[in-house]
Amino acid sequence: MTGMNNSQKTFSPRIVIHGAGNVGRRLIRFCQLKGWDIVAVLNRAGDKVGMDIGELAELGTDIGVSVQDWELVDYQSLGADIALIATTSDMLDVNFPVYEKYLRAGINVLSHNTQAYNPRFENPSVAKKIDALAKSQGVSFTGSGIWDTTRLWAGIIAAGACVDVKEIVHFATAEIGRQGAQWEEDIGVGLTVEEFQKKYAKEPNSLSIFLHSPAVIVLQKIGCTVTNVHKSIEPVVFEQDVFSPFSERSFPAGIVVGTRLKIDVETEEGIFGRVRVEYRLFQDNEIEEISWKIVGMPGLEITVRRDDTANLSASSLFNRIPDVLSAPPGIVEIFRMGPLNSTALL
Ligand SMILES: NC(=O)c1ccc[n+]([C@@H]2O[C@H](COP(=O)([O-])OP(=O)(O)OC[C@H]3O[C@@H](n4cnc5c(N)ncnc54)[C@H](OP(=O)(O)O)[C@@H]3O)[C@@H](O)[C@H]2O)c1
C-alpha cells in the first residue's frame, strides 16, 4: 500500500488517470473540484496526446499537465498513489498490460472496466496474475463504476435485511446512449429484427458478456457458490418512431431500439438469481429504473432511479479512492468493502 494520510483535512492522493475519454475527462474535473493532485493523464497514441488536460476536460484554463502516450512513460518515476483506469475495453485480459505497468511500479489500481468488478469470477487466470503481482508490490486492485451503488450494493443491502432468501431478481431499464452514442450500435439499435437475431446468434451482444455480474455478486456476498449461468437475448422494438438525442438519429417503428436480456443464475445452495434488463432508447419522459426484489423472509424491494448516469459512473469510481488506498494488498472487490462513502468533505 502506498502512503497516504488518513486525516480528512490532509487527504490528498496523487492520481494518474489512464484513458482520457468520456470517463477520464470527468475524473479530471472531479480532481480539480477537490484540489487533488493529478500527476499524469495517459492515453494511447493519437490526437489527445500532448493536449493540456484543462483543454481536454473543458475547464476553461490550462492546467500545465499534458496528456502522455502510455507506452512512453516511466511508471516508476510517476510517484502516484493510485491509477484510475478508464480505457476502452471492459475485458480483463485486454487491459492486463495496462494494469501490469502500475502494479509493477507499486501503484494501486482502481479500474472502471466492467470485468474488474469481479475478476476472480470473470477471468480466474488473469485474476491470479493481478492478485499475485499486487501482493508482491504491496498494492491493491479494485473495480468500480456506476454499478457499485446502483446495481451491486443496492442488491446486497436488500438481501442483507432478509433471514431467508429463495431468489434475488434484478430488473433494469437503462438508456444506452447516455454513456456514449457508440453503445447504441453495439447493442443492435437500428437493425431489423431479423438482422438482430442473425447477428447475435453468431456473436455475443456486449451486454450479455457482463450483465450476469450483478446477480452473481449479490449471491456471492450472501455466501453462495455459482454453478450455472444461462442467458437469452431478444430485440426491443417500439410501435412508434423514436429519436435518439445521443446519436441524433430517428428510428422508425418496428426497427430494433435495444436489447432485452434474461439471465438465470443457479447456485449450489439452491438460491436463484434472475436478471431481467432492457438497454434501449427511451421515449419522452422515461427515467432509468433499477430494482432488486428479494424473495424470502421477509423479502424486500429496493428501487434506484438514476438520472445523470455519465457523471454517476465516474463519481462512483472516484469515491472509491479512499477505500482503495486503505485496502490490503491484492484484489479487493467492492463487495468486500462497505457501501460507497461520499467524498463531500474530503
Ligand atoms: N464500470 C462501470 O460501471 C462502467 C460504466 C460505463 C462505462 N464503463 C467502461 O469504462 C471505460 C471507459 O469509458 P469511456 O466512456 O470513458 O470510454 P471512451 O470515451 O472510449 O474513452 C476511453 C479512452 O481510453 C483510451 N484508451 C484505450 N485503450 C487505451 C490504452 N491501452 N491505454 C491508454 N488509453 C487507452 C482511448 O483512446 P482513443 O483516444 O484512441 O480512443 C480513449 O481516450 C469503458 O471500458 C467503458 O465500457 C464502465
Side-chain angles (χ1 to χ4, degrees), residues 18 21-23 43-44 48 87-88 90 112 117 146 179 313:
H18 191 114
N22 178 26
V23 172
N43 202 73
R44 61 186 170 194
K48 291 169 193 155
T87 52
T88 313
D90 280 299
H112 201 250
Y117 281 116
I146 195 166
Q179 286 171 41
S313 205

Side-chain angles (χ1 to χ4, degrees), residues 223-255:
C224 295
T225 301
V226 172
T227 51
N228 191 29
V229 177
H230 176 77
K231 302 181 182 184
S232 66
I233 183 170
E234 294 170 7
V236 180
V237 291
F238 287 160
E239 286 175 5
Q240 55 276 89
D241 300 356
V242 63
F243 174 75
S244 164
F246 306 100
S247 59
E248 297 182 337
R249 292 171 62 198
S250 287
F251 299 92
I255 284 295

Side-chain angles (χ1 to χ4, degrees), residues 257-268:
V257 293
T259 291
R260 181 179 302 116
L261 268 175
K262 293 182 182 171
I263 301 174
D264 293 316
V265 183
E266 293 168 25
T267 65
E268 253 175 46

Side-chain angles (χ1 to χ4, degrees), residues 23 26-27 30 84 110-112 117 142-153 179 306 308-324 334 337-343:
V23 172
R26 290 169 205 277
L27 294 170
F30 294 150
L84 309 180
L110 176 51
S111 173
H112 201 250
Y117 281 116
T142 301
S144 183
I146 195 166
W147 289 12
D148 192 322
T149 294
T150 67
R151 282 190 200 278
L152 306 179
W153 273 97
Q179 286 171 41
R306 317 190 304 189
D308 185 359
T309 46
N311 275 320
L312 259 177
S313 205
S315 66
S316 302
L317 180 86
F318 187 83
N319 279 0
R320 276 290 172 201
I321 292 173
D323 291 334
V324 171
I334 55 165
M337 300 171 165
L340 263 177
N341 222 353
S342 172
T343 52

Side-chain angles (χ1 to χ4, degrees), residues 80-102:
D81 298 313
I82 188 164
L84 309 180
I85 313 291
T87 52
T88 313
S89 174
D90 280 299
M91 308 300 283
L92 284 167
D93 54 355
V94 174
N95 289 307
F96 182 72
V98 174
Y99 303 151
E100 193 179 17
K101 297 259 191 209
Y102 292 102

